[in-house]
Each structure stands twice: as C-alpha cells, then as structure tokens.
Amino acid sequence: MSASNSDTGAPSPVGGDGEERRAETAWTLLIVDGDEAFHDRCRAALRDLVFRGAGVEVLAARSPADAKAVLAARPNIAMVLLTVEPNGDEAELELVEHLRGSFGNQRVRIIVCADRVDGAFERAVVLQHEINEFRTRSELTGDRLCTVVIESLRAYASALSLESNYKMMVATTGIFALKSQSMFYFNMLLQLDAMLDHGRNSLLCVRDPNRDGPELRVKAASGRFMPWMRGSLDQVQDEAVVNAVRRVAATGETVHTPEHCLFRILARSDVLVVAYAERAPDSVPIDRKLVEVFRDKAATALNNLLLTEELNASQQATVRAFASIADHSDQSDSGHLSRFERMCTATAAKMLERQFYPREVDRYLVEQIGLASTLHDIGLYRIPESILSNVDELMEDDYQVIHLHPKIGHDILRTAATPLSGRSLLSVAADIARGHHERYDGSGYPDRLKGDAVPVAARIAGVVDIFDALVTDRVHRTAWPVPDALRWLTERAGKEFDPKVVEAFVEAIADILTSEPQFFPTPKALPADRGVGPRLMALATRLIRGMPNETVDANMDTHR
C-alpha cells in the first residue's frame, strides 16, 4: 500500500539531481509491546508502505525502559504505538509523560492500544494523557493499520511543516537587520544550521569581485570547515564538497538531499554566494521548498544590505566632497578635520559606553558622528572672504554675517538629506552644522537653544570645536597645553558645555593620547609679523570671554 506523493511536506521525494529518489526509510515508527508476534504482524503490514516518497522503518521495544533508550537514541521518531492494559503496569503510560515532558516532544504521534475494550479506561487515558488516538489491537491489522499509520504520518508531517516554517521565519527575520557583510554571512550560516536542526558542518563561500577578486572565498564556516575560514575554496580539503560548490555556483541549482543541501544567491554588484550545509544524523526532515524560501529571503536581505552599503558609500563621498569645500578656507591647519572626526567619534563611543543619553546616543550615532562632524563649518563658504581674512577687530555687522554660517550649513545639508528617509549621515551633519555654536546655558547662536534642546551630536561637536581651537596654533597665539585646555573645559561643564559630554570627552582624550601621544600638532613660535591667514576658527575664541587671567596666554590679545 502506498500513499499519494502529491501531499506537501517533509521529506521531499525529489533529490538534488532533480530525479525522483527511491523510497527511503525516512519515517520511523516505534512499537512498544511485549508480544513478539504483534511486532511481526505490524512489520509485515507496513513492509511495502510508502508515504510521500519514503518508506517506513519499524523499531521494536519490549518494555517502557527499552522504549526510553530507543527514543533517546532516535529523537525523530514519527509515531509510537504503545500497548497498555487496564489495571496493568503504570509504566506504559508514564512513558507518555516522559516523552511529552522530559523529552519535550510534541511532534510525535502516540497511539495507545489495548487488548479489550473498556470505555472507562479509554476515557481516562485520553483525558489524563497527551495521546493522539486510542485503539484496540484487533483493529490494527493489515490495511487498517496502514490507514492509522498514514493518518499519523500526515499529522506528524504537518507538525514538522509548521515547526520548519517557524524556524525559517525566525532564521530570516534577524538577518534583515544586519549592517555589515561579514556579520550577514556569519549569521546567515548560523540560521541555516539552526533551520536544518543544527547541522554539524557547513560553509558559505562568496565571490565578490569588487573586494576579493574573481575567486570564491570562505566567509563563514562551522564544524570541520572552520580551518579554512577566510581562505580560498580551493584550500578546502574535501574534493567532493569543492566540486559540489563550484557546480552550484555555475548552474544555480538548489540541491536538497537527506545528507546535505546547497544553494546559490546571485546578488547585486556581481556578488555570488553559495551555501553548503550537512544535515545532522536523525535531524528533523525539512521540506525542500522551505530551503528555497530561506534562500530567497536571504537573497533579498543581502541585496538590501548591498544597496544600503552603496547608498552609504555615495553619502560618505558626498560628505567628504562637502568637507573639502569647508576645509578649503582653512589651509592653515590641514589636520583639523581629521582630528575633529576622531574626537567626535571617540566622545560619542565613550558616552555610549557610559550610557549617557541612551535614547539619543546609540551605535548608529557613534558610527555616523565622526564623518558628519567634518561638515560643521560647511556654511562658511558663503561668508565673504573679506570677513574671513580680516585679522583686525571686526565690526558688529561682520559678526552678524559670520553668525549666519550655522543656518547656511544646516540649510545646505538638510536639503541634501531630504530624499533620505529617517536619520541619515547628512541629517546628523545638518544638526551639527546648526547647533555646534549653541551653548548649554543658552548663550550661543544662532537660536540660543539651551540644554537638551541642542541635539546631542551638536553638543559633542561644540566641545570638540572649542578644544581643538585651544590646543592648536592660531594667527595671534600659540597653542594651549592640553591639560590647560581640558581644565578650562571642565570648569565650564554645566554652564557653557554639557557636563556629561565634557566628562566623556576628557576620558576620550586620555585614551587617544595614551595610544597616540603626538595626536595634536606641536606648537610653533609665531613669526615676527604674526602672519595673516583665512582661518575662521580664530573667531571661535570670541566665545571664550571671561576666562581667568592666569590661564590666558599672552598672545590671546585678539580673542573676539
């Protein structure tokens, strides 16, 4: 007797080569009965049974103790046929509780049978124990036994399908949130192993011509393939696997057998991915279609990731182009922007570590603030050169013009960020451009914002901007020593500057100087004529009014 192969579910009757495979003993039944003759009758009745392209393997246990040992060794048994007797040994029914409770197996179908009909006993068993059916032994002969088994296998396959669907949804949900290729590949393979009921050995090979050239390289691996992680596929010491991966890479076929599966993803930018995973022995059968759904969802996630990387790269290129415009008007200090970027990133990272403002300071801000901060003075390019180059005392009208540059920069960057949804590199840069001259106590410009009304990225950039101005040479003065500048900032924490930002900044500078003692440029002596340069950052010193006389350098006579 055979059941129709048109049913969907595991195991699939189609192998990796596209041909229908022979009936295999993929469905496993356990009969728990002390009567050897009953075992023989069941084997004879089920010998030719084929369900969904797979035959039936019948295991025997003569006692509940034997059954527990078999169940421990073969966790993917589809059906248990358990013989019990009214007023008999309770160990038989305790096996049900052991299977459902200790093993946590809700998939297996449990059929309880008895020699004679006892309505009260049957009702008690069904109500008190998690069994699926109650039968008499006299019913379970020939075709009737085959019908019961087919019904149980169909229910078992449905349970497997639901479980596999859940695994697939869980597996693919997380990879959509990953932001780097390396983490994507690692997690994709991890989730594939989990979906295949914890496969033991797997590898994921990638051909990325833009990064690694034309050859396939192992980007993620588990089990016996770990030694070749990050190496070339040719280095893998398993000729059969290497040939299988190359064949799938060339043909694009999806291979799905009881032993392993392979599939290919061809993504944007000519990125090609081949996943190979070996199934664990006695693992839960999984439908070929679910593997294909996982492949398709992973392909969508990878394409989204690659597109995001391309957009980020384009955005970063735009930011650096803008930054070069801003830096053009300050050729007197070519290292300013690189220091600015490093100090902003380090301060934000320290704030994240210390959990300062956790709703604002997250991993995204830490990743974006450094590059975004290089555009803090982008609005300067619209300020007349006659004002920027003037080293004499400026008139009030000149200051009013200069104070326009935060709004100018903000408008430029906000317009550029409009096509980008949500928070982006350019939107962070726009916040910094507008707010980096604001002060914690509301004494800054252009909007005289106070406290948390100033975006946290701008509060960080404001501290960095002043500090870098103090510790580097200016037209009319030499640089302050770093300890003096840090002391001056600390004295103004809670007044002009956010105290938490200052605290994180001081720690960040200590870390930077520990690893890079020459991070800040060495002060130089002023030329006799004191020189003339277009650097606007000297104007920032106008905000440093009221500093103690004993701290002021003799050359600070031109603070505005």
Side-chain angles (χ1 to χ4, degrees):
M1 179 177 180
S2 65
S4 171
N5 286 339
S6 63
D7 292 312
T8 59
S12 168
V14 180
D17 55 4
E19 300 177 357
E20 186 168 340
R21 68 168 188 252
R22 63 179 177 83
E24 299 177 7
T25 56
W27 305 105
T28 308
L29 278 61
L30 173 64
I31 299 175
V32 187
D33 192 291
D35 183 358
E36 188 64 36
F38 182 68
H39 286 283
D40 292 339
R41 289 198 302 272
C42 290
R43 287 196 191 94
L46 300 174
R47 181 177 295 114
D48 297 324
L49 179 63
V50 176
F51 177 71
R52 298 184 183 176
V56 175
E57 178 185 11
V58 180
L59 305 178
R62 274 68 184 179
S63 68
D66 291 343
K68 289 181 181 180
V70 173
L71 289 165
R74 302 290 294 274
N76 293 313
I77 290 173
M79 171 184 160
V80 174
L81 181 59
L82 174 65
T83 299
V84 298
E85 294 298 333
N87 304 317
D89 189 351
E90 288 293 321
E92 286 87 356
L93 290 175
E94 288 177 0
L95 178 62
V96 176
E97 305 311 312
H98 179 77
L99 185 57
R100 299 296 196 204
S102 300
F103 281 178
N105 190 335
Q106 301 300 319
R107 299 186 304 267
V108 65
R109 316 310 290 173
I110 302 177
I111 312 298
V112 171
C113 64
D115 274 330
R116 62 183 186 275
V117 177
D118 185 323
F121 176 68
E122 178 180 345
R123 184 166 55 253
V125 170
V126 171
L127 289 175
Q128 296 174 18
H129 302 279
E130 291 186 55
I131 69 168
N132 300 104
E133 290 188 62
F134 191 100
R135 301 278 181 173
T136 60
R137 293 178 91 188
S138 60
E139 292 181 85
L140 300 178
T141 58
D143 288 344
R144 184 57 183 160
L145 176 59
C146 288
T147 299
V148 170
V149 170
I150 289 171
E151 290 173 349
S152 295
L153 292 181
R154 184 173 287 118
Y156 177 77
S158 296
L160 284 182
S161 180
L162 288 173
E163 181 177 310
S164 297
N165 275 316
Y166 173 76
K167 284 183 177 180
M168 186 272 296
M169 288 188 294
V170 171
T172 55
T173 298
I175 61 178
F176 277 90
L178 299 172
K179 295 181 179 180
S180 71
Q181 285 191 50
S182 60
M183 288 301 298
F184 175 88
Y185 297 139
F186 173 80
N187 280 276
M188 176 181 161
L189 197 64
L190 189 68
Q191 302 292 7
L192 179 61
D193 283 345
M195 191 180 73
L196 294 176
D197 206 16
H198 302 289
R200 298 171 302 169
N201 306 299
S202 58
L203 77 162
L204 191 144
C205 299
V206 179
R207 185 180 68 204
D208 187 344
N210 299 313
R211 294 189 179 192
D212 304 318
E215 64 178 339
L216 283 162
R217 302 193 67 81
V218 180
K219 295 291 187 177
S222 66
R224 65 189 181 94
F225 297 109
M226 284 295 292
W228 300 290
M229 180 70 176
R230 289 185 289 276
S232 169
L233 174 63
D234 291 334
Q235 296 174 314
V236 176
Q237 295 178 14
D238 189 321
E239 185 177 356
V241 171
V242 171
N243 291 337
V245 170
R246 291 201 178 281
R247 182 174 62 253
V248 169
T251 65
E253 66 177 316
T254 295
V255 177
H256 181 255
T257 75
E259 293 78 28
H260 61 265
C261 75
L262 294 96
F263 60 80
R264 184 190 78 175
I265 294 174
L266 189 58
R268 63 186 298 115
S269 303
D270 295 326
V271 173
L272 182 145
V273 178
V274 177
Y276 171 88
E278 296 176 354
R279 303 274 302 279
D282 297 317
S283 61
V284 175
I286 188 168
D287 192 351
R288 173 193 182 93
K289 292 181 180 178
L290 290 176
V291 174
E292 292 174 344
V293 170
F294 177 89
R295 176 202 64 197
D296 293 344
K297 286 185 173 289
T300 299
L302 178 57
N303 276 313
N304 289 342
L305 174 61
L306 293 173
L307 177 59
T308 299
E309 286 187 348
E310 290 176 18
L311 291 174
N312 286 340
S314 298
Q315 196 175 173
Q316 290 175 11
T318 301
V319 168
R320 295 199 182 279
F322 278 154
S324 67
I325 295 174
D327 203 33
H328 180 69
S329 63
D330 180 25
Q331 298 180 13
S332 64
D333 183 8
S334 59
H336 169 66
L337 290 183
S338 61
R339 291 194 304 273
F340 208 102
E341 181 176 351
R342 172 84 175 275
M343 288 188 286
C344 282
T345 298
T347 302
K350 188 66 67 173
M351 292 176 70
L352 179 64
E353 177 187 321
R354 298 288 298 275
Q355 297 186 333
F356 292 162
Y357 306 115
R359 298 181 65 179
E360 298 175 272
V361 181
D362 55 13
R363 178 57 56 189
Y364 182 85
L365 182 69
V366 174
E367 293 172 354
Q368 301 294 336
I369 190 172
L371 186 55
S373 70
T374 62
L375 297 177
H376 63 286
D377 275 340
I378 186 65
L380 292 180
Y381 93 100
R382 287 192 182 174
I383 303 300
E385 183 67 22
S386 59
I387 295 178
L388 299 182
S389 301
N390 187 359
V391 294
D392 296 325
E393 187 67 31
L394 296 178
M395 306 300 293
E396 190 60 34
D397 289 347
D398 296 328
Y399 284 120
Q400 290 179 8
V401 173
I402 289 171
H403 286 187
L404 294 175
H405 85 272
K407 288 184 178 180
I408 294 171
H410 174 268
D411 291 346
I412 293 170
L413 296 170
R414 181 57 62 182
T415 299
T418 298
L420 305 173
S421 60
R423 189 170 50 159
S424 67
L425 181 63
L426 291 176
S427 67
V428 174
D431 287 343
I432 293 173
R434 190 177 187 100
H436 72 285
H437 284 300
E438 300 287 358
R439 291 296 173 258
Y440 197 67
D441 59 5
S443 63
Y445 68 90
D447 302 307
R448 301 190 70 82
L449 298 179
K450 184 177 182 179
D452 294 349
V454 183
V456 68
R459 302 201 300 272
I460 294 171
V463 169
V464 172
D465 195 27
I466 286 292
F467 181 80
D468 196 67
L470 292 174
V471 298
T472 52
D473 291 330
R474 285 298 180 259
V475 174
H476 293 287
R477 63 163 175 84
T478 56
W480 284 25
V482 169
D484 290 354
L486 290 174
R487 187 182 312 113
W488 183 87
L489 277 176
T490 303
E491 290 171 354
R492 283 156 178 75
K495 301 171 187 175
E496 295 176 51
F497 308 110
D498 184 326
K500 291 184 177 178
V501 172
V502 172
E503 181 179 343
F505 177 79
V506 171
E507 293 181 13
I509 294 300
D511 291 345
I512 290 173
L513 291 177
T514 298
S515 61
E516 225 175 310
Q518 304 302 317
F519 179 73
F520 296 104
T522 302
K524 300 177 181 178
L526 289 176
D529 60 0
R530 294 191 170 183
V532 175
R535 177 67 178 142
L536 179 66
M537 290 306 300
L539 295 175
T541 57
R542 184 175 186 245
L543 299 173
I544 313 176
R545 290 180 173 177
M547 66 177 64
N549 290 331
E550 62 272 16
T551 312
V552 181
D553 185 276
N555 290 319
M556 295 287 286
D557 58 327
T558 59
H559 282 319
R560 306 185 190 278

